[in-house]
Coordinates of all heavy atoms in Angstrom, one line a residue:
G1 N -52.1 0.4 96.4 CA -51.7 0.3 97.8 C -52.7 1.0 98.7 O -53.7 1.6 98.4
G2 N -52.5 0.8 100.0 CA -53.3 1.2 101.0 C -53.2 2.7 101.2 O -52.2 3.4 100.7
L3 N -54.1 3.3 102.0 CA -54.1 4.7 102.4 C -53.5 4.9 103.7 O -53.9 4.4 104.7 CB -55.4 5.3 102.3 CG -55.6 6.8 102.6 CD1 -54.7 7.7 101.7 CD2 -57.0 7.2 102.6
D4 N -52.2 5.6 103.9 CA -51.6 5.8 105.2 C -51.9 7.2 105.7 O -51.6 8.2 105.1 CB -50.1 5.7 104.9 CG -49.3 6.0 106.2 OD1 -50.0 6.1 107.3 OD2 -48.0 6.0 106.1
L5 N -52.8 7.1 106.7 CA -53.2 8.4 107.3 C -52.5 8.7 108.6 O -52.8 9.7 109.3 CB -54.7 8.3 107.6 CG -55.7 8.2 106.4 CD1 -57.1 7.9 106.9 CD2 -55.6 9.3 105.6
S6 N -51.3 8.1 108.7 CA -50.6 8.4 110.1 C -50.2 9.8 110.2 O -50.0 10.3 111.3 CB -49.4 7.4 110.1 OG -48.5 7.6 109.0
M7 N -49.9 10.4 109.1 CA -49.5 11.9 109.2 C -50.6 13.0 109.1 O -50.4 14.1 109.2 CB -48.5 12.2 108.0 CG -47.2 11.3 108.1 SD -46.3 11.5 109.6 CE -45.5 13.1 109.4
C8 N -51.9 12.4 109.0 CA -53.0 13.3 109.0 C -53.7 13.5 110.3 O -53.8 12.6 111.1 CB -54.0 12.8 108.0 SG -53.5 12.8 106.3
P9 N -54.1 14.7 110.6 CA -54.9 14.9 111.8 C -56.2 14.3 111.7 O -56.8 14.1 110.6 CB -55.0 16.4 111.9 CG -54.9 17.0 110.5 CD -54.0 15.9 109.8
S10 N -56.9 14.0 112.8 CA -58.2 13.4 112.7 C -59.2 14.3 112.1 O -60.2 14.0 111.5 CB -58.6 12.9 114.1 OG -58.7 14.0 115.0
E11 N -59.0 15.7 112.3 CA -59.8 16.7 111.7 C -58.9 17.7 111.1 O -57.7 17.9 111.6 CB -60.7 17.3 112.8 CG -61.7 16.5 113.3 CD -62.6 17.2 114.4 OE1 -62.6 18.5 114.4 OE2 -63.3 16.4 115.1
G12 N -59.3 18.4 110.0 CA -58.5 19.4 109.5 C -57.9 18.9 108.1 O -58.1 17.8 107.7
P13 N -57.0 19.8 107.6 CA -56.4 19.6 106.3 C -55.5 18.4 106.3 O -54.8 18.2 107.4 CB -55.8 20.8 105.9 CG -55.7 21.7 107.1 CD -56.7 21.2 108.1
C14 N -55.2 17.7 105.2 CA -54.3 16.7 105.0 C -53.9 16.7 103.6 O -54.6 16.7 102.6 CB -54.9 15.3 105.3 SG -53.8 14.0 105.3
T15 N -52.5 16.6 103.4 CA -51.9 16.6 102.0 C -51.7 15.2 101.5 O -51.1 14.4 102.3 CB -50.7 17.4 101.9 OG1 -50.9 18.8 102.4 CG2 -50.0 17.4 100.5
A16 N -52.1 14.9 100.4 CA -51.9 13.6 99.8 C -51.0 13.6 98.5 O -51.2 14.6 97.7 CB -53.2 12.9 99.5
M17 N -50.2 12.6 98.3 CA -49.5 12.4 97.1 C -50.3 11.5 96.2 O -50.7 10.4 96.6 CB -48.1 11.8 97.3 CG -47.3 11.6 96.2 SD -45.8 10.8 96.6 CE -44.7 11.2 95.2
V18 N -50.7 12.1 95.0 CA -51.5 11.3 94.1 C -50.5 10.8 92.9 O -49.9 11.6 92.4 CB -52.6 12.2 93.5 CG1 -53.4 11.4 92.5 CG2 -53.5 12.8 94.5
K19 N -50.4 9.5 92.8 CA -49.4 9.0 91.9 C -50.1 8.5 90.7 O -51.3 8.4 90.5 CB -48.7 7.7 92.6 CG -48.0 8.0 93.8 CD -47.3 6.7 94.4 CE -46.7 7.0 95.7 NZ -46.2 5.8 96.3
N20 N -49.3 8.2 89.7 CA -49.6 7.7 88.4 C -50.6 8.6 87.6 O -51.6 8.1 86.9 CB -50.3 6.3 88.6 CG -49.4 5.4 89.2 OD1 -48.2 5.3 88.8 ND2 -49.9 4.5 90.1
I21 N -50.3 9.9 87.7 CA -51.1 10.8 86.8 C -50.4 10.9 85.5 O -49.2 10.7 85.3 CB -51.2 12.2 87.4 CG1 -49.9 12.9 87.7 CG2 -52.0 12.2 88.8 CD1 -50.0 14.4 88.1
H22 N -51.2 11.3 84.5 CA -50.6 11.3 83.1 C -49.6 12.4 83.1 O -49.8 13.5 83.6 CB -51.7 11.6 82.1 CG -51.3 11.5 80.7 ND1 -50.7 12.4 80.0 CD2 -51.3 10.3 79.9 CE1 -50.4 12.0 78.8 NE2 -50.8 10.7 78.7
Y23 N -48.4 12.1 82.5 CA -47.4 13.0 82.5 C -47.6 14.4 81.8 O -46.9 15.3 82.0 CB -46.1 12.4 81.9 CG -46.2 12.2 80.3 CD1 -45.6 13.0 79.5 CD2 -46.8 11.0 79.8 CE1 -45.7 12.9 78.2 CE2 -46.9 10.9 78.4 CZ -46.3 11.8 77.6 OH -46.3 11.7 76.2
K24 N -48.7 14.4 81.0 CA -49.1 15.7 80.3 C -50.1 16.5 81.1 O -50.5 17.6 80.7 CB -49.6 15.4 79.0 CG -48.6 14.9 77.9 CD -47.8 16.0 77.3 CE -46.9 15.4 76.2 NZ -46.2 16.5 75.5
S25 N -50.5 16.0 82.2 CA -51.5 16.7 83.0 C -50.9 18.0 83.6 O -49.8 17.9 84.0 CB -52.0 15.8 84.2 OG -52.8 14.7 83.7
T26 N -51.7 19.0 83.6 CA -51.2 20.2 84.3 C -52.0 20.3 85.6 O -53.0 19.6 85.9 CB -51.6 21.4 83.4 OG1 -53.1 21.4 83.3 CG2 -51.0 21.3 82.0
Q27 N -51.5 21.3 86.4 CA -52.2 21.6 87.6 C -53.7 22.0 87.4 O -54.5 21.6 88.1 CB -51.5 22.7 88.5 CG -50.2 22.2 89.1 CD -49.4 23.2 89.9 OE1 -48.3 23.0 90.2 NE2 -49.9 24.3 90.2
E28 N -53.9 22.8 86.3 CA -55.2 23.2 86.0 C -56.1 21.9 85.6 O -57.2 21.8 86.0 CB -55.2 24.1 84.8 CG -56.5 24.6 84.3 CD -57.3 25.5 85.3 OE1 -56.6 26.1 86.1 OE2 -58.6 25.5 85.2
S29 N -55.5 20.9 84.9 CA -56.3 19.8 84.4 C -56.6 18.9 85.6 O -57.7 18.2 85.7 CB -55.7 19.0 83.2 OG -54.5 18.4 83.7
I30 N -55.6 18.8 86.5 CA -55.9 18.1 87.7 C -57.0 18.7 88.5 O -57.9 17.9 89.1 CB -54.6 17.9 88.5 CG1 -53.5 17.1 87.8 CG2 -54.8 17.2 89.9 CD1 -52.1 17.3 88.4
M31 N -57.0 19.9 88.6 CA -58.0 20.7 89.4 C -59.4 20.4 88.7 O -60.4 20.1 89.4 CB -57.8 22.2 89.4 CG -58.7 22.9 90.3 SD -58.3 24.7 90.5 CE -58.3 25.3 88.8
Q32 N -59.5 20.5 87.4 CA -60.7 20.2 86.7 C -61.2 18.8 87.0 O -62.4 18.7 87.1 CB -60.5 20.5 85.2 CG -60.3 22.0 84.9 CD -59.9 22.2 83.4 OE1 -59.7 21.2 82.7 NE2 -59.8 23.5 83.1
T33 N -60.3 17.9 87.1 CA -60.6 16.5 87.3 C -61.2 16.3 88.7 O -62.3 15.7 88.9 CB -59.5 15.5 87.1 OG1 -59.0 15.6 85.7 CG2 -59.8 14.1 87.3
L34 N -60.5 16.9 89.7 CA -61.0 16.8 91.0 C -62.4 17.5 91.1 O -63.3 16.9 91.8 CB -60.0 17.6 92.0 CG -58.7 16.8 92.2 CD1 -57.8 17.8 93.0 CD2 -59.0 15.6 93.1
D35 N -62.6 18.6 90.5 CA -63.9 19.3 90.6 C -64.9 18.4 90.0 O -66.1 18.3 90.5 CB -63.8 20.6 89.9 CG -63.0 21.6 90.6 OD1 -62.5 21.4 91.7 OD2 -62.7 22.8 90.1
A36 N -64.6 17.8 88.8 CA -65.6 16.9 88.1 C -66.0 15.7 88.9 O -67.1 15.2 88.8 CB -65.0 16.5 86.7
L37 N -65.0 15.2 89.7 CA -65.3 14.1 90.6 C -66.1 14.5 91.9 O -66.4 13.6 92.7 CB -64.0 13.4 91.0 CG -63.3 12.7 89.8 CD1 -61.8 12.3 90.4 CD2 -64.1 11.5 89.4
G38 N -66.3 15.8 92.1 CA -67.2 16.3 93.1 C -66.4 16.8 94.3 O -66.9 17.0 95.5
F39 N -65.1 17.2 94.1 CA -64.3 17.7 95.2 C -64.0 19.2 95.1 O -63.2 19.7 95.8 CB -62.9 16.9 95.2 CG -63.1 15.5 95.6 CD1 -63.3 14.5 94.6 CD2 -63.1 15.1 96.9 CE1 -63.5 13.2 94.9 CE2 -63.4 13.8 97.3 CZ -63.6 12.8 96.4
Q40 N -64.8 19.8 94.3 CA -64.7 21.4 94.3 C -64.9 22.0 95.7 O -65.8 21.5 96.3 CB -65.7 21.9 93.3 CG -65.6 23.4 93.1 CD -66.4 23.9 91.9 OE1 -67.3 23.2 91.4 NE2 -66.2 25.1 91.5
G41 N -64.0 22.8 96.1 CA -64.1 23.4 97.4 C -63.6 22.5 98.6 O -63.7 22.9 99.7
K42 N -63.2 21.3 98.3 CA -62.7 20.3 99.2 C -61.2 20.2 99.3 O -60.6 19.5 100.0 CB -63.3 19.0 99.1 CG -64.8 19.0 99.2 CD -65.4 17.6 99.1 CE -66.9 17.7 99.3 NZ -67.5 16.4 99.3
Y43 N -60.5 21.0 98.6 CA -59.1 21.2 98.5 C -58.7 22.6 98.3 O -59.5 23.4 97.8 CB -58.4 20.2 97.5 CG -58.8 20.7 96.1 CD1 -58.1 21.5 95.3 CD2 -60.0 20.2 95.5 CE1 -58.5 21.9 94.0 CE2 -60.3 20.5 94.2 CZ -59.6 21.4 93.5 OH -60.0 21.8 92.3
D44 N -57.5 23.0 98.8 CA -57.0 24.4 98.6 C -55.7 24.5 97.8 O -55.3 25.7 97.6 CB -57.1 25.1 99.9 CG -56.0 24.6 100.9 OD1 -55.4 23.7 100.6 OD2 -55.9 25.2 101.9
A45 N -55.1 23.4 97.5 CA -53.8 23.6 96.9 C -53.5 22.3 96.1 O -53.8 21.2 96.6 CB -52.6 23.9 97.8
I46 N -52.9 22.5 94.9 CA -52.4 21.4 94.1 C -51.0 21.8 93.6 O -50.7 22.9 93.2 CB -53.2 21.1 92.9 CG1 -54.6 20.7 93.3 CG2 -52.7 20.1 92.0 CD1 -55.6 20.6 92.1
Y47 N -50.1 20.8 93.8 CA -48.7 21.1 93.2 C -48.3 19.8 92.4 O -48.2 18.7 93.0 CB -47.7 21.4 94.4 CG -46.3 21.4 93.9 CD1 -45.9 22.3 93.0 CD2 -45.4 20.5 94.3 CE1 -44.5 22.5 92.5 CE2 -44.1 20.5 93.8 CZ -43.7 21.5 92.9 OH -42.3 21.6 92.5
A48 N -48.0 20.0 91.2 CA -47.5 18.9 90.3 C -46.1 19.2 89.8 O -45.9 20.1 89.0 CB -48.5 18.7 89.1
P49 N -45.1 18.7 90.5 CA -43.7 19.1 90.1 C -43.5 18.7 88.7 O -44.1 17.6 88.2 CB -42.8 18.4 91.1 CG -43.7 17.4 91.9 CD -45.1 17.8 91.6
G50 N -42.7 19.4 88.0 CA -42.5 19.2 86.6 C -41.1 19.2 86.1 O -40.1 19.5 86.8
N51 N -41.0 18.7 84.8 CA -39.7 18.7 84.1 C -39.7 19.8 83.1 O -40.3 19.6 82.1 CB -39.4 17.3 83.6 CG -38.1 17.2 82.7 OD1 -37.6 18.2 82.3 ND2 -37.7 15.9 82.6
P52 N -39.1 20.9 83.4 CA -39.3 22.1 82.5 C -38.7 21.7 81.1 O -39.2 22.3 80.1 CB -38.4 23.2 83.1 CG -38.3 22.8 84.6 CD -38.4 21.2 84.6
A53 N -37.7 21.0 81.0 CA -37.0 20.6 79.7 C -38.0 19.9 78.8 O -38.0 20.1 77.6 CB -35.8 19.9 79.9
R54 N -38.8 19.0 79.4 CA -39.8 18.2 78.6 C -41.2 18.7 78.7 O -42.0 18.3 78.0 CB -39.8 16.8 79.2 CG -38.5 16.0 78.9 CD -38.7 14.6 79.3 NE -37.4 13.9 78.9 CZ -37.3 12.6 79.2 NH1 -38.2 12.0 79.9 NH2 -36.1 12.1 78.9
K55 N -41.3 19.8 79.5 CA -42.7 20.4 79.6 C -43.7 19.3 80.1 O -44.8 19.3 79.5 CB -43.1 21.1 78.4 CG -42.2 22.3 78.1 CD -42.6 23.0 76.8 CE -41.7 24.1 76.6 NZ -42.0 24.8 75.4
T56 N -43.3 18.5 81.1 CA -44.2 17.5 81.6 C -44.1 17.5 83.1 O -43.3 18.1 83.6 CB -43.8 16.1 81.1 OG1 -42.5 15.8 81.6 CG2 -43.8 15.9 79.6
N57 N -45.1 16.8 83.7 CA -45.0 16.7 85.2 C -44.2 15.3 85.4 O -43.8 14.6 84.5 CB -46.4 16.6 85.9 CG -47.1 15.4 85.4 OD1 -46.7 14.2 85.7 ND2 -48.4 15.5 84.9
L58 N -44.0 15.0 86.7 CA -43.2 13.9 87.1 C -44.0 12.7 87.3 O -43.5 11.6 87.9 CB -42.3 14.2 88.3 CG -41.3 15.4 88.0 CD1 -40.5 15.7 89.3 CD2 -40.4 15.1 86.9
G59 N -45.3 12.7 87.1 CA -46.2 11.6 87.2 C -46.9 11.5 88.6 O -47.5 10.5 88.9
Y60 N -46.7 12.5 89.3 CA -47.5 12.6 90.6 C -47.8 14.0 90.9 O -47.2 15.0 90.4 CB -46.7 12.0 91.8 CG -45.3 12.6 92.0 CD1 -45.2 13.6 92.9 CD2 -44.2 12.2 91.4 CE1 -44.0 14.3 93.2 CE2 -43.0 12.8 91.6 CZ -42.8 13.8 92.4 OH -41.6 14.4 92.7
A61 N -48.7 14.2 91.9 CA -49.1 15.6 92.4 C -49.4 15.5 93.9 O -49.7 14.5 94.4 CB -50.2 16.2 91.6
F62 N -49.2 16.7 94.5 CA -49.7 16.8 95.9 C -51.0 17.6 96.0 O -51.0 18.7 95.3 CB -48.6 17.5 96.8 CG -47.3 16.8 96.8 CD1 -46.3 17.0 95.9 CD2 -47.1 15.8 97.7 CE1 -45.1 16.3 96.0 CE2 -45.9 15.0 97.8 CZ -45.0 15.3 96.9
V63 N -51.9 17.1 96.7 CA -53.2 17.8 96.8 C -53.5 18.0 98.3 O -53.4 17.0 99.0 CB -54.4 16.9 96.2 CG1 -55.7 17.6 96.3 CG2 -54.1 16.6 94.7
N64 N -53.8 19.2 98.7 CA -54.1 19.5 100.0 C -55.6 19.5 100.2 O -56.3 20.5 99.9 CB -53.5 20.8 100.5 CG -53.6 20.9 102.0 OD1 -53.0 20.2 102.8 ND2 -54.2 22.0 102.5
F65 N -56.2 18.4 100.8 CA -57.6 18.3 101.1 C -57.8 19.1 102.4 O -57.0 19.0 103.4 CB -58.0 16.9 101.2 CG -58.0 16.1 99.9 CD1 -56.9 15.4 99.5 CD2 -59.2 16.1 99.1 CE1 -56.9 14.7 98.2 CE2 -59.1 15.5 97.9 CZ -58.0 14.8 97.4
L66 N -59.0 19.8 102.5 CA -59.3 20.5 103.6 C -59.8 19.7 104.8 O -59.8 20.2 105.9 CB -60.5 21.5 103.2 CG -59.9 22.6 102.1 CD1 -61.2 23.5 101.8 CD2 -58.8 23.4 102.6
A67 N -60.1 18.4 104.5 CA -60.5 17.6 105.7 C -60.0 16.1 105.3 O -60.1 15.7 104.1 CB -62.1 17.5 105.8
T68 N -59.6 15.5 106.3 CA -59.1 14.1 106.2 C -60.2 13.2 105.6 O -59.9 12.4 104.7 CB -58.6 13.5 107.4 OG1 -57.5 14.4 107.9 CG2 -58.0 12.1 107.3
D69 N -61.5 13.5 106.0 CA -62.6 12.6 105.4 C -62.7 12.8 103.8 O -63.1 11.8 103.2 CB -63.9 13.0 106.0 CG -64.0 12.6 107.5 OD1 -63.2 11.7 107.9 OD2 -64.9 13.0 108.2
D70 N -62.4 14.0 103.4 CA -62.4 14.2 101.9 C -61.3 13.4 101.2 O -61.6 12.9 100.1 CB -62.4 15.7 101.6 CG -63.5 16.5 102.1 OD1 -64.7 15.9 102.2 OD2 -63.3 17.7 102.4
L71 N -60.2 13.3 101.9 CA -59.1 12.5 101.3 C -59.5 11.0 101.3 O -59.2 10.3 100.3 CB -57.8 12.7 102.2 CG -56.6 11.8 101.8 CD1 -56.2 11.7 100.4 CD2 -55.6 12.1 102.8
I72 N -60.1 10.6 102.4 CA -60.5 9.3 102.4 C -61.5 8.9 101.4 O -61.5 7.9 100.6 CB -61.1 8.9 103.9 CG1 -60.0 8.9 104.8 CG2 -61.8 7.5 103.7 CD1 -60.5 9.0 106.3
E73 N -62.5 9.8 101.1 CA -63.5 9.7 100.1 C -62.8 9.7 98.7 O -63.2 8.9 97.8 CB -64.6 10.7 100.2 CG -65.6 10.6 99.1 CD -66.4 9.3 99.1 OE1 -66.5 8.7 100.2 OE2 -66.9 8.9 98.1
F74 N -61.9 10.6 98.5 CA -61.1 10.6 97.2 C -60.5 9.2 96.9 O -60.5 8.6 95.8 CB -60.2 11.7 97.2 CG -59.2 11.8 96.0 CD1 -59.7 12.2 94.8 CD2 -57.9 11.3 96.0 CE1 -58.9 12.3 93.7 CE2 -57.1 11.3 94.9 CZ -57.6 11.8 93.7
H75 N -59.8 8.8 97.9 CA -59.1 7.4 97.8 C -60.0 6.4 97.4 O -59.7 5.5 96.6 CB -58.3 7.1 99.1 CG -57.5 5.9 99.0 ND1 -58.0 4.7 99.5 CD2 -56.3 5.6 98.4 CE1 -57.1 3.7 99.2 NE2 -56.1 4.3 98.6
R76 N -61.1 6.3 98.2 CA -62.2 5.2 97.9 C -62.6 5.3 96.4 O -62.7 4.3 95.7 CB -63.4 5.5 98.7 CG -63.2 4.9 100.1 CD -64.5 4.9 100.9 NE -64.3 4.6 102.3 CZ -64.7 5.4 103.3 NH1 -65.5 6.4 103.0 NH2 -64.4 5.1 104.5
L77 N -62.9 6.5 96.0 CA -63.4 6.9 94.6 C -62.3 6.4 93.6 O -62.7 5.7 92.6 CB -63.7 8.2 94.4 CG -64.4 8.6 93.1 CD1 -65.7 7.9 93.0 CD2 -64.5 10.1 93.0
V78 N -61.1 6.8 93.7 CA -60.1 6.5 92.6 C -59.5 5.1 92.7 O -58.9 4.6 91.7 CB -59.1 7.7 92.5 CG1 -59.6 8.9 92.3 CG2 -58.2 7.7 93.8
S79 N -59.5 4.5 93.9 CA -58.9 3.2 94.1 C -59.9 2.0 93.8 O -59.5 0.9 93.8 CB -58.3 3.0 95.4 OG -59.2 3.0 96.4
G80 N -61.2 2.4 93.9 CA -62.2 1.4 93.8 C -62.4 0.6 95.1 O -63.0 -0.4 95.2
S81 N -61.9 1.2 96.2 CA -62.0 0.5 97.5 C -63.5 0.7 98.1 O -64.1 1.7 97.8 CB -61.1 1.1 98.5 OG -59.8 0.8 98.2
P82 N -64.0 -0.2 98.8 CA -65.4 0.0 99.4 C -65.5 1.0 100.4 O -64.5 1.3 101.0 CB -65.7 -1.4 99.9 CG -64.4 -2.2 100.0 CD -63.5 -1.5 99.1

């Protein structure tokens, strides 16, 4: 799907919901993936809600990017958009 930036300021931080993450991914592994993709220092928080009974996440996470431009670049990278 497309990227909806209607709730993001033109400058400054913006939180994105990242869907379809592997259910065994941890917040730490998501952070390591973001860093490996070149986003180290471009976000300040990750939250992956979980199912404690199954010890898994719910298939999505929230990432707070420090700049809307970084979110746009992340979306381009992971979605294959030009």
